[in-house]
Amino acid sequence: MRTFIAALAGAAALLPALVRATTAQPDPTDAAAPVPAVSVPSALADYQPYRDQKAPPWQELNRAVTSAPGKPGMSHGQMPAGGAGAADNVHGSHHEESAK
């Protein structure tokens, strides 16, 4: 413990000498004060312009979407009419009753 305190005391004694060893900053009000050179990299140094990729014509894209093989779809002509889904639709049955 004594060596630790001695080391702290020695460092405290050297501290004023270390503070004076730093370089003094020039006076900010002096117009003739030397200014260090600043090197700032450009924000656009690594910029690569966007390049459109070759896309197929819209007719080919439409054909690929409308006739996808292996994916059966349901067109409006194939919608169920009065099947099992009709029993779940109870909204229409309320309007069919006559008012008394």
Side-chain angles (χ1 to χ4, degrees):
M1 182 72 169
R2 288 183 186 191
T3 56
F4 181 70
I5 293 173
L8 283 178
L14 291 176
L15 188 62
L18 294 175
V19 171
R20 284 189 216 114
T22 59
T23 58
Q25 295 290 333
D27 184 20
T29 59
D30 183 14
V35 179
V38 178
S39 173
V40 179
S42 173
L44 302 175
D46 297 330
Y47 173 74
Q48 295 179 357
Y50 178 78
R51 290 187 179 91
D52 282 333
Q53 297 178 359
K54 187 71 175 170
W58 64 268
Q59 295 94 345
E60 185 178 326
L61 291 173
N62 281 351
R63 271 186 248 117
V65 172
T66 56
S67 62
K71 294 184 178 178
M74 181 183 288
S75 69
H76 291 290
Q78 298 172 342
M79 292 183 75
D88 295 334
N89 188 5
V90 294
H91 180 72
S93 63
H94 294 289
H95 296 288
E96 293 174 7
E97 297 176 14
S98 61
K100 293 183 183 179

